[in-house]
Every structure is written in structure tokens, then in C-alpha cells.
Amino acid sequence: MELVLADIEVVYGKRTRNHAVRGVSLRVRRGETLAVVGESGSGKTTIAKVAAGLQKATSGTVAWQATGDGGVGGGPGGSPARRQRVHMVFQHPVQSLDPSWRIRRSVKEPLRYLGMADDEAERLVRRLIAEVGLDAQILDRYPREVSGGQAQRVAVARALVADPEIVILDEPTASLDQTVRGRILTLLADLQVRTGVGYLMITHDISSVRRLATRIAVMYRGLIVESGPAAAVLEDPRHPYTQALISAVPVADPRVRWDGVVALPRHPDGTLAVTSCPVPGSCHEHGPGLHEVGPDHVAGCTKAVDPQKAATT
Amino acid sequence: MAVVDAGAALRGNLVSRLRVGNPAAVVAFAVLGTILTLGIVVPFVAGSGDVAQEYDGLLPPSFDHPFGTDRFGRDVFLRCMAAARIDIALGLAVAVAVLLVGSLIGAVSATFGRGVDAVVMRATDVLLAFPGVVLALVITASLGKNPWYAAIAVVIAFIPLLVRLARSKALEVRSADYIAAARLSGASTWQIATRHVLPNSFKYPFVQSTLVASWAILDFAALSFLGVGVQPPDAEWGAMIAEGVGDNLLGSWWPSFFPGLMILLTAASFQVIGDWLDRRLR
Amino acid sequence: GSGPASDDGTGGGDGGSAAVDELVVAYSQDIDTLDPHQFKTDAGYGVVGNIYGTLLQESYTDGGDGVLSYAGESAPYLAESATWDETQTTLTFELKEGQQFAGGEPVTAEDVVWSLQRALSDVGYVQAIGQWLNITDAATDIVATSDTTVELHVTHYSPLIEQFLAFQIFAIIDKSAVEAQAAADDPWGAGWLAAEATASGPYVVESRVPGQSMTLAKNPEFTATDLGDAPERIVVQSMPDPQQAFLALQNGAVDVIFGMTPDTAEALEQSDGLELYDLEYSLVAYVGFNYQDPVLQDVRVRQALSYLMPYDALREDVMKGYAGAAYGAVPYPMRDSLDETGEQVAYPTDVERAQELLAEAGYEPGELSLTLSVPASDESLSQSAVFIQSALRDGGVEVEVNEMSDADYNENLGSMQMFLDSWYSWGQDSVYQMFFLLTTGVFTNYTNFSNPEVDELVRQAMATADPDERRALSQRAQQVIIDEAPWAFLFTRDYLVGTREGVTGVTHANDANLRFDQLRVTN
Amino acid sequence: MLRTTGKRAGVALVSILGVAVLTFFITQLLPGDPARIAAGQYASEEQVADVRAKYGLDQSVPAQFAQYMGDFFRMDLGTSIRTDQPVRDELTSRLPATLELGLTALLIAVLLGVGLGVTAAVHRYRIGDRLVQVFVVLASATAVFWIALVAITTLVNGWGIFTSPTGRLPRGFAPPEHVTGLYVVDALLAGDPATAGAALRTLLLPALLLGVLASPSIVKIVRSATIRALESDFARTSRSFGYPARSILFQDGLRNSLLPVITNVGLVAGFVLAGGDVIIEQLFAWPGIGGYAYSSLQENDLFALRGYVIAIGVAYVLINTVLEFVYGWVDPRVNLAEGS
Amino acid sequence: MSLLTVRGLSIQTRTGVSLVRDLSLDVGAGEVVGIVGESGSGKTMTALSLLGLLPDGVHVSAGEAELEGRRFLDGPRMLARPNATMIFQNPTAALNPTMRIGAQLVRLLRFLDRSGTDGSAGRRRGDVRERAAALVSSVGIADPAAVLGRYPHQLSGGMNQRVMIAMAIAARPSLLVADEPTTGLDVTVQAQILDLIRATVAQHGIGVLFVSHDMGVIAQMCQRVAVMYDGEVREFAAVDDIYHRPGDAYTRELLASASDHPRPEEVADGTRAG
Ligand SMILES: Nc1ncnc2c1ncn2[C@@H]1O[C@H](COP(=O)(O)OP(=O)(O)OP(=O)(O)O)[C@@H](O)[C@H]1O
Ligand SMILES: Nc1ncnc2c1ncn2[C@@H]1O[C@H](COP(=O)(O)OP(=O)(O)OP(=O)(O)O)[C@@H](O)[C@H]1O
Ligand SMILES: [Mg+2]
Ligand SMILES: [Mg+2]
């Protein structure tokens, strides 16, 4: 099964008309991880919400398509059939758990709505809690009584308990400690191997992308400016923004010298300038369309086809 | 991350501090409990003090009459206690009614959005714009002189406040991540409203309603003072003060002083309990 | 503005008979209107009575105790003379020479005719009283025969005619000034006269703070009497709270309080430097029993209830002794009252007798429960209600007290089961009193009492011009009423005026009003 | 900015209309027959009928409503039944008294509220704070009529600190020439400090009572806002530079905590204008619109009462609308005109 | 000769809970010393204690600190204000929301002029606003006039952090304490801020105590690193030693979680190619 978002446009506010997402298409499959990266405010969370059916797209479609592995076809976003297929792990783990419910109830919730018998549900919940590396006694606690890392594990367990096809991860580790972050990422990878779940991971943390992603989509001001296999995008970024983004990540090794920050022009208030393309003749206003720059690798820059030209600025 | 952990630690700290005993809240509970107990027990044992000329008029406070007697020769203490029943019952009734009606309207307004919400908001605007006491006076004047009518008037005056609070809290909760999570888990709108939104937003109106109880006692007393609350010879603190104004100005301070003190103690207790609940539940 | 006055608040009021600068008179209500035919509050009444002159004026005798008592007759005022013709059907007034309204217009016979016609018109409620002038049609029976002569044509003589013409409801108003302001839908200029005055009396309105006070100054145009010693300025202050008014008197903020409550009167009597004028009036307080109520139709029930009333407690504890006994509907000191001392009681408190009567009527103790309505704003009445409730409960009758706002109370007069009311008849006339309160079909007969004998006796009394016959008829009617007990006759209320020491000239008038120009300050 | 201005004005207008409509129907509920009151206790049925016709009370409710709304738009509040005067004139002539009392009370409430709130915040969680909290609880649990009574017996009658409640000026002072209608201001304008002082002394006690009882909500807000500000990251920044405590208190603490006060002032004004005012004016024989409303209600003066309720309702809406603007203007975060 | 020396620093709450125990470290002039560690391990408390900014209810219970050889902290007592300034996480919140940027800079410059702690009374001359403008352009802000006229909420986090750095430099400190100054910023913005801090260190030769939990940032910014765990310094050594010869188990775990080694090989079962 794959989740397909086609030509999604999202405009916030009737009057203010904040065009948050401008014609984004992407697909997520079982077993793979699509990472959406990009700067703050570029529309990543919006895309995640649209994919999860929590936000209506102004235009465009969200659909399930059967892939070769023989799933059922799906209805449009928000239909009950979809609900068990997609779940989500939120950026702030504690806030994603109802403060007045014990952990057990929160994790069991999806099963209850599926009509599962309680003892079976209980068994499942215990298994998942163990799988995410938690002790069963945490089930009797309230969200405020657990740490952020624990809460995120609980959230992962809840997301997986009803065996969804796809889990959307909206910056799943952003609010976590470095060491906890590593453990959660490892956990997510393990679970994917075991259950074959697909991830749509929203993040701006390149290091988690490196560890988890099979494919990467780079968002910039509501558009996808580059997408392709993880390795290709990380090793050979073509769009100037992708290049800047990757070069900006400090390498966690003091022996590797890190000074290749590609500077992008900015407004006085610090937001990227509209004309931020370092290559004159900027194109993102109208969207140049994505150009094939490698196998399954596209970039939204006319100059990106020739990597030499784009990188020299 | 630090924010979360420090917060939890702090909260843990606070909660335990409250448990160990918030002296003010303990005192408030004790005062309220005493007044309420006396209010229930004393009239049983000693009558409600509504017989005129049982004693001499305007006796100052003494051992026999701790609060003195009024111009009708009635024991002010007995009447204060008889009044406690009415006043506290009314305060609580108003608080409960305001809480239920207010949260319901607020929740409906928040849930149905747009049209309903706009109407409810404008309606509360308009109600808020009305001078509370005068509104209540007009309503009681229209309905007739009866403590329950006065209570209805007070309820109407306070509902907009609770509607707004309940609505804004419901809206806040509705946009929380755990609601989105519940939706993804397959909860229906109704299930979300009843299992998540209501329980989580209810505590704010609930806390507020203790304050409403305190204000209601004050407002109800004000209405009685202005002469629309209870009928003689029933005792009510505001009405007792009104009866005692003349005596007070002419030197007999006790028939009006003690009922006012009762109002102060009761309303203050509700306030303190409200503050305490507020800190406990947040 | 004027500077601060001296602490005793009277400015130049030092000694002798020199006119004081300013006297502050406190009333418990605000001045509602200046229209002599529309007022409802005492304060409005008081002001109107002092800014408008009337044809006649009550004459007073100075008792030497600071009180000016009604001398039993009316004296000319704006009129030079009032003369009856032979048949006693025409009363001719000759106006005094050279009189002017405060605006400078002369006072003419035309003004007088118009003013009397206005009083008897439907502009106000005075017309109900107007019939006591025995005038058939105001438009034709009141005529100016010259610039200074006015004739009243009446059906027959009555002593009340001259007495009533001295009341301020028959104020003389400047016709031309009012008509200049009148509108098509308001031919009598009611809108204008409500706030403006064309003073023909001793005082004019100098200034006003709405809701607080009105300042009157001597009318420079007034020539009907000598105002030489009258206070230069009167401030009519509204002080809704009687105790506050008393305290204000005590600390010199006011000089006179009109209409005190018994408890403040008592306190006042005990304070140094203050004077209480305790004036007996036939202002009767009663509990009315509604004849339309099935329970109360039984005379035994009415009598039983009358026997249960705590008369002593009411007079002593509520009225603090500033009250007399009320013997029947026409109490002392009303003219022709059966009781000439003010001490007789028709149904003395007698619980046993009451219970016998109730038993006869078929009610065991505790079986009867009734509602007593009382106007909340009248402190003495609402306090009385508490005592009555308690006393009746002792007698086995449950009473629910219903305190009502004035508006509500007035609205429901006539339909309430039992009600506490007090009534004062201008002129203290027994026939007038019985006519309004106890004859069939009169709308101020709030008990719906209906007795053919009483109706007939009152009718005859109204028609007779002979005082002795009138008295006999009246007293027979009074006795019937006592036996029927349509009311519980509670007590008569004294009129209580408090002043600071040295204020004299308090009028014990038939219209229960102060004549500001008579007030003096001596020291 | 223009759009929000229009929107706010629209909301205000809708609220005012709502106030007018609701007032009509609520006063419609009043028991009793205003015409009977107007005609007087001794009037005959025909006279009552005439009066009824004169005030249009004989018409159907919808017709009366249409008439009423028409009058409302013409800013005509009808004629008082009691005094036969236009209600609007009666209200406007009494308004200065209420304004003088209300504004002074508001000023006292704000000064006291901010002062105590800041004191509590500075001494947070310590004894000073506790004392302020006690004040807050007591002041918000005190019945205004009771404390007024206690104050009158002790402060006026007992110790003579304040002048006797006989209106706006003690005996012997004439009202100053009408400029603003506020006696203290007018007397000062007229160069008559003696009268101004006397007016102030008379005004002070009722204003203090109202102000003190209205202050707790401001104290609470200022306290928590100031604490939040003083414990905020930006106050910590200021401390990191070693700014003096005063500068931190005023520039970081107070500046940020005054914003919520603005919105609260609307509520407090509501209390001062309407709630407490009716009772205080009654007790102090203060010739304002509150006392007017009370006697109108007593006398069932339908039109006067309506006029009063409308006046207060409209004033409340206007005050809050103005405050919203002020808020938008003072708080850069909601100032849309400047948004980038 | 080190610039900052901290010895035996212990921090406790009022109720006696120990937040930091026996912490010692030093920072040399022109040196950037990092503090990494688990969340809640006391990094922020350590940083705040050096400037006397501990929140209510938390205090230094023991230890001493010297800056430029002058003892300024002795146990619970702050002996003097150290010549140090600090920049914080969440720069937007660290600036007064009701004052324009310009006003905040002017307030600081005036204060510095008055107190004269930087020992340059001569700087009194010159228009404060001009100096403010010069200051913000010195931190790489292209249009100072525009920025000075704005409120913090009208600027991005990165821009506000530049302003904070400008203010921190204006005081001419000898030590700059930075508590996670780039957490929450976009990586591209973070890179620029880090560049700016490096440039500032180079230009003014000041010492920096740099708190972060990002091993990448620490690796690139610092010369020496202290690793904290549960209120204690586990390891304090040169950055290369920490990253390549970690002596502590917790340090190793940190490094392991930070290294972005690709997905475990056993996962490569074909799904990756998708
Ligand atoms: N509910 C909303 N109403 C109006 N505008 C919104 C709403 N949610 C997001 N936006 C706007 O849409 C744009 C994209 O927001 P979004 O949250 O999708 O960005 P993001 O890439 O997730 O950013 P971040 O990395 O900061 O989370 C932003 O300009 C944001 O201000
Ligand atoms: N005001 C306070 N009162 C009491 N304890 C506090 C207070 N603030 C923080 N703490 C506690 O102090 C400890 C150290 O906190 P600190 O903020 O220094 O951690 P940190 O290392 O900076 O963490 P992070 O990386 O999450 O910012 C934590 O356990 C925290 O709960
Ligand atoms: Mg996001
Ligand atoms: Mg920290």
C-alpha cells in the first residue's frame, strides 16, 4: 500500500491567505521512510497533517493506492477505513497524551475503537510497551509522571498498536535529549524492520534523516524543491537550498573541519529572502517544475541539472 | 528535555507542598464547615429565631446572645445561622447551575464553531454589557420576590463569564495534540468531545465556579439588601443588614455587623478554596 | 459660588427675628415634578406648596411652642376677599391688587380660572378631589367676571370648599406662560410645568442638582403677605435614608427633617441641641381585609384577626410611642371622630376572644393561613408586618408577609388578601375619609367593602350643609364600620418633624405640609 | 488595521443593538402597569387609559418595539413616567455625578491594584505577598453595602474623618460653574480650591469604598503578570547585564504587566459603573444615575429604567471597544498595523 | 593562565536537593569550552550560577569562581559582578517584547555609559543610536535601521540571537556564557550564528563557556569539553580526546547516539530502494 498526496495546496486564513503548501506531491510506502526536511515554516507540519487527515487540503488529493503487494484500495482522506492505516507521532510527546488518562488507556484507545476485546487489547498493549523498551508498570502512570523520552516511546507504541500501514512522525525527536533521541531513532528503525510500517518523517534534523530515511523530500517555502533516494540527496544535493541545508549541519567530529556553510541571502528580519536563490534568475516563485537529475532524483532548479554551476556561488 | 523535566519536578514540588497543607485552605474549609454545620444544627436545636419579641429589642452582644438581639427582639446569632443555610445553599446552587449551563453552552459553542459560536459570543457580549445588579433587580422584580428567583437572576448574570471560560478552554483543548491523536485512533467527534475535551476543559470552569459561589453569595446578599431577596421573617444576611442599617446608624451596630461578617467569612472561604483548587488542579 | 459657611450652617441666623440666610430641609424622597397637579412625593408636594400661591390660605395660631396650629378656618391669600352669596351657591373672589408672577406677569382673574380648571381637568388626579368643591362643570362654573374677580358656582355649600381651596392643588399658575409652552397633545402644558414653575407663592426655584437638592429663594414679586422675616433661601435636600438624615441634622448639615421615622425621632429627642415636633394627625395605619376573599368575607374572621393584632407592640415598639390609638376608620383627631381622646381601641388585643371567634367560624388554630402585603419602602409598616406576623402566629394564624415595591404594591391595591396601608385625608374630614376608603365602587376602596347603610349615610352627609347633621350621619356610619371590621384599625401615626434647636414656625397644617415662609430661627 | 477597526466597530454595533433589544424585552417583563403609576394612586380608569395611550403602552408589543427601536436610533430614550421629563436629559444631568464617582473609584482601583500587585510580585512568595493576598481575599469577599455602612458609622459618624453623606458637596458650598460637570475639576478651573477640597472630601469615601472593592482583580492580574515578567527570560537578560532592580521592575516588569490591566479595566469599570454604584449612590445619597435607576425601579418607571440600562450597556460596550483599541495600540504584539 | 576558574561548585535547591555537585572547570582567554550532557544534568544551572542568575529557590552551596584572577563567587556569596555576559536559548523570549530592539540597545548602552564598568568613559561621546546601529551591523545585520525599529516578535529567532550577541559584546565582557544559543533555530541559521560566535571570539579574544547538547556543534565550536551527567562533570578534556578517546561510558553513549551512521545493514532487504 502506498499513501499518495497529489498536488496538495493549503491556504491558511480566508483573508490573510497564507499559502503554506503550494502544489506538493509525494508518496509513502510501507516499509520505507520518506523524510521531509526543510526550514522552519516551510510547510512540513502542514503536509503531515494533510497526510494524516487532520487538515483539509485546499486542493489536491490524498489517496491510498495498491502497490504490487496486494492491499486494498482506499477512500479519500478522513474515511474511517483510513484511520487505522495512518497514525502519527507528535513533536511534543507529553502533549500528545491526554493528561487525564493513564498511559494504558491512551495506548489502548485505538484498539478500543477497533472493537477489540479488552484482554486481547491488554496483551497487545503490554507487548508493544515492551517492544518500545518500557516497563509495563508505566501503563498505570499519568503523562505528567513520565519523562519526555518515555512519553515519546509511549506515543510510538500507541501509533503502532493498531498496526497501521504508515506512521507519520512530526519531528519525533526534536524535543528530546541527545541520547534519548538516538535511542528513539534506533527503536523506530527496529520497529520498521519488524512490522514493515512506512514512515513519513517530518524533521529538520539532518542527522536523524541520515539514520532513518530511505527517501528525502526537501521543502522550501511550501514547495518540494528536491527529492530522491536518501543517499543521493545527501551525497549529491542539487538544489542550492538543499546544498545550504546539508552544508550547515555541523559534523560531530572535531577532526573534520566544518566551514562550508553556504550563505543564503536573508531579509532584515532573518527570514530567507524571496530571491534567495544564489543563482540569478530565480525560479521558485513560479515553480520551474522538477527536473530529473539522477535516478529517481529530481530537483526544482533549472541550474541543478548541472551540479557544477549551481554549487559555485 | 529540560523544560519538560523541570516543569514536572516543579509541579511535583508544588503538589506536595499543597498536600502537606496549605494553611489558608485548611482554615477556609474549617470556617466554611463550621458555618455550614452550625447553620444546619443550630436552627434544629434552638429554632430559626424568627419569633418577634422573644427577647428584649436591641440587646448588645452578651453571653446569652452572642450577636445581640435585633429591634424585633430576635436573637441575631440564631438568625445568622438560619441565614447561613439559605445563603450557602443558594451560593452553591448558583455555582452548580452556572457551571453546568455555562460549560454546556461554552462547549457547544466551541464544538459547533462558526455560526453557533458567533451567536453565542455576541449573546455573551450583550449579557456582559448589562449592569449585573440592575439586571438581577429587574429579573427579580419581574419574577417576584423569592430567593430562588433572585438566584436565577444571579445565575443569568454569571453565565456569560463561564460560557467564555468554558469555550476558550474547550477551544484550547480541542487544538491540543492529544485530540489529533485521538482522532487518528478512530474516535468519533462525540467520543472526542465527551472523553477528551470535556474532562480536560471542565476543571477550569469548575475552579471558576467556586469563585462564582463566593460572588453569588455577595450578589444575592446585595439583592436582598435592596429588598428583592427573601420575605420576612426569613433570615438572610443581606436582608438582615438592610434591617439593621437604621439601628447601626443610631448606635446599635450588632444587628447589621454580624451578618456582614458572615458574608465576609463565607465568601472569603470560597475564594480561598477556589485559589487553592486552582493551584491544585493546574 | 458662595464660600464656606460657618459651622453651624446658618450663616447670618443670629438671634432675634432677623431673617435667616438659608435653611436646609431634608425630605426622604426626591422632588419628582413641579406640576401642582402631578406630584407624587412629599418633597414635590412641599416645594409646590411654597412656590405657588392659592386664593385662600389656612390661618394658624401660634401656640408659643414653635408650632403653628390650624385655626379652623381659611384666610384670604392671593385673594383679597372670599364672599358667599345669599343662597350659598356662588363664592366670589376679589384678587389683591398689583400681584405678579415671578416672571413679572400680573396675576389676573383669567389665570385663576385657568388654574382652577386645570386642577379639575384630567391632567392630573386632582379631579378626584375636585368633586368636593361641588362644582358641576369646571368650564362653566368657574368664571372671571372682571380682571380681578372670579366666581365659583357650586351646587351647595360645604365647609370643605374653602378648606380645599387653600391646598396647593389649587395653585394659581401663569396661564400665558404655560400656554406659550403647551403643545397640541399637551394642552395643559404638563411637560413644561413638570420642570418649570411660574411662581405665585413666597418662593422661586433658584437652582437644582437633580437627585440631590433644590434651592428656593424668596420671590421678590410676592406681595400677598409680608415675607420680611421669612428665610431668604430654602434648600430642599433629598435624603432617602432617615437615619442618615438624622445624623446630618445632628452634625449641622441640615436644619429640618420632614417625615421622620419613629426610631430617629426617639434618638432625636435624646440628643442635645435638637428639637422634635411631634404633631398629632389622623394618619391612620390599618390592615385591610379584602371582601372579595372568601375567608375574609366572614365578619368573625375579620374581628378575630382584629383581636389578634399586637396594638401595644406596634405603638410602643414600632412607633416608639409616636402613635395614637385608632378607633375605627375615622380616628382622632379627625373632625367628627367617635373617639375624642385618641385612646380608644375598637378591638383590644384578646387572643382568647379571637380564638373563640375563629372556632365559631370553623378554624382551629393553625388552620388559617393568610398573606399580608406591605410596601417595603415604608419602614414603619414593614416593621409592623413582622410583629403582626408573629402575633398572629401566636394566635394560631399563619401569615406570609409579602413585601412589595411601591409600584407593585400600588398596582395591586384592591386585589391583595390582607394589606398594610396608611392613609391621610387632606382636611381631616370624616366624610371625605369614609367616602374614599369605604363606599361602594370608589376605586380607593381597597378592601372592596360594600355596605348600603354606610353608602347612604355618606351620601347624605355629603349633601348636607348643616354641620351637626353631618356629624350625626358620619358617626352612625363610623359605628357600622367598626362593627363590620373591614380593617384592623392599628394606630394613627404622628407627624414627626425634627429641627435643630431654635427652629420654629412648624405648621400643623391640614394638608400636612410645611410653610417655609413661616419657619424662623431664634436663639 | 482598517479592516480590524471596521470589524471591532461592527462587533460593538451588534452588541449595542443586542443591548437595546434585550433591554426592551427584559423591561417588558416588569410586573405592574406603568400607566397606573404615572397617573397616580388616585387616578380614575379613564385617566389611566389616557396615560397608557400617551406613552404608547396601549399598542401591541411589536408596535411598541418598533416605536422603541425608532426612538433608540434617534437617541430618544422616552419620557420618564415619574417626572414627565425626557429620560435622556435626566440621565445626562445626573451622569457627571456618577462619572466623577466612578472615575475616581476607577483611578483608586487601578493605582491600588497596580501598587499592591507590584508589591506582591516583588515580594513574591514572602510575607509581603501573603499580606497582599489576604487583602485580595478580604476585599473580594466584602459586601459593598456592609463595608459602606461600617465606614459611615466609624469614619463619618464616629470619628468625623469624612463629611456626612448628603450629596456631592457639604453644606455651605455652591456647585461650581458647569464645565465638565465634575465638581472637583470645575472648582479648580474656577479657581476655587476650597470648594474643590470640599468636593473631594465628600467624594473620597464612596470612591475609596468602590475603588478598594474593585481593586482585587487588578491586584491579581498585575501580580501574576509582574511575576511572570520578572521571572521571564527577558528579565533574566536584564539581570545578566546588571541593570538596577528599579529599571528591571519598571521596564521589564511593570511595562509588561500593565497590558493585561487594560483589558481588565473594562470589567472593573463595569463593576464601578453598574454593580457597586447603584448601592453606593443609594447609601451616600449621591445624585447619580445609579440612585436614579434604583428609584425608577421602585416606582416602576419603565422608560427611565430602560434608559438607564441602555446607557450603561452602551457605555460598557464603548469602553471595551476603546480599550481594545488602546490595547492594540499599546501592545506591539497585537498591533497589526506594524506587522511585518 | 586561565581566564575563568571554577572550583568545587555545588548548587542546591532550598529543600536541599543537589543539582550540581563539586564542579570544576576553567576557560582560557580566546578559548571556547563546551558543556554537554543529559537533559537536566545541571548545565544551565552551572551557567546561570556564574552570573548570579539562579532562579528563586536555587543557590550555590559551595565552591568558588575566579575571572581574570579576581574571585567573584565564594560559596553562596556573589562577591562582585563578573565581567561576563550571557546569551540564551530562545532569543526571542530573551528580549523584552514591549520594547523596540533599538530601545533595548539604547537602554543597555546608556546603562553601560553610566556605570562605566567597561572602563571606557571616553565612549560617552557619540550618539547612542548611532552606536546601537554600529553594534547591530557588527553582528552581520545588513539593514540596522530597519531592525532597530522593530519589536522582537517581528524578527526571526536567528536575527534576535544576533541582537543578543550584539548586546552581549557591547558590554565588552571577558567571558561570554552561551546556553544552547542555537537550539530551536534552523540549521542554516544555526551555522551562521555559530560562525558569528567564532568570529567574535577571534576578534575580541574573549573566553566562551558554551553549553549545548548537540555533539556536532560542540565538536565544531570547542577546544575543550566538559561532559555532565546528573549534576557531575564526568569528563573534562580536549575535544579530540572526548570524541576519539572517550573515558566515560556516558560520553560513549552520547557519541553513539550522535553519530549518524547509516541504518543497520540488516535492514537492507530491498525496501530501501523503494
Ligand atoms: N493553523 C494555521 N493557521 C494559519 N497559518 C498556519 C497554521 N499552521 C501553520 N501556518 C502557517 O503555515 C506555514 C507553514 O507552517 P508549518 O507548520 O507547516 O511549517 P513547518 O515546516 O512545520 O515549520 P516548523 O519547522 O517550524 O515546524 C507557516 O507560515 C505557518 O505560519
Ligand atoms: N527553579 C528551579 N528550582 C528547583 N529545581 C530546578 C529549577 N530549575 C531547574 N531545576 C532542576 O535543576 C536540574 C538541572 O537543571 P538544568 O536546567 O541546569 O539542566 P540542563 O542541563 O540545562 O538541562 P537541559 O539540557 O534540558 O537544558 C534539573 O533537575 C531541574 O529539574
Ligand atoms: Mg512543524
Ligand atoms: Mg538547560
Side-chain angles (χ1 to χ4, degrees), chain D residues 82-94:
Chain D
R82 210 156 38 107
T83 63
D84 215 8
Q85 296 296 299
V87 171
R88 196 182 55 192
D89 296 353
E90 296 218 311
L91 285 174
T92 37
S93 68
R94 284 168 168 84

Side-chain angles (χ1 to χ4, degrees), chain C residues 432-450:
Chain C
Y432 178 96
Q433 170 115 338
M434 286 185 290
F435 171 80
F436 273 112
L437 294 169
L438 294 154
T439 55
T440 309
V442 174
F443 66 95
T444 44
N445 177 357
Y446 303 127
T447 53
N448 303 301
F449 173 76
S450 175

Side-chain angles (χ1 to χ4, degrees), chain C residues 459-479:
Chain C
R459 203 190 50 74
Q460 285 177 14
M462 282 170 76
T464 179
D466 173 18
D468 291 334
E469 188 187 342
R470 203 171 185 271
R471 165 195 298 256
L473 291 165
S474 163
Q475 292 194 335
R476 262 164 62 201
Q478 288 178 39
Q479 192 55 54

Side-chain angles (χ1 to χ4, degrees), chain C residues 2-4 9 22 24 30 32 40 122 124-125 191 194-195 210-212 237 239 244 247 251-253 255 407 411 443 446, chain D residues 32-33 37-39 41-43 47 50 82-83 85 93-94 152 157 164-168 171-173 283 287 298-300:
Chain C
S2 71
E22 179 185 283
V24 182
D30 195 15
D32 49 353
K40 292 169 210 78
D122 59 2
Y125 50 79
Q212 178 186 306
Q237 177 98 32
M239 298 216 61
Q244 302 254 15
L247 293 163
N251 65 31
D255 300 307
E411 165 89 10
F443 66 95
Y446 303 127
Chain D
D33 181 358
I37 319 287
Q41 204 181 337
Y42 314 109
Q47 276 179 305
D50 284 351
R82 210 156 38 107
T83 63
Q85 296 296 299
S93 68
R94 284 168 168 84
I152 289 173
N157 302 331
S164 169
T166 47
R168 299 174 70 186
R171 178 168 191 173
F173 290 90
L283 281 170
Q298 289 299 302
E299 308 277 333
N300 219 340

Side-chain angles (χ1 to χ4, degrees), chain C residues 234-258:
Chain C
I234 299 284
V235 178
V236 176
Q237 177 98 32
S238 84
M239 298 216 61
D241 190 299
Q243 286 78 20
Q244 302 254 15
F246 160 66
L247 293 163
L249 180 69
Q250 209 172 30
N251 65 31
V254 303
D255 300 307
V256 178
I257 331 175
F258 186 74

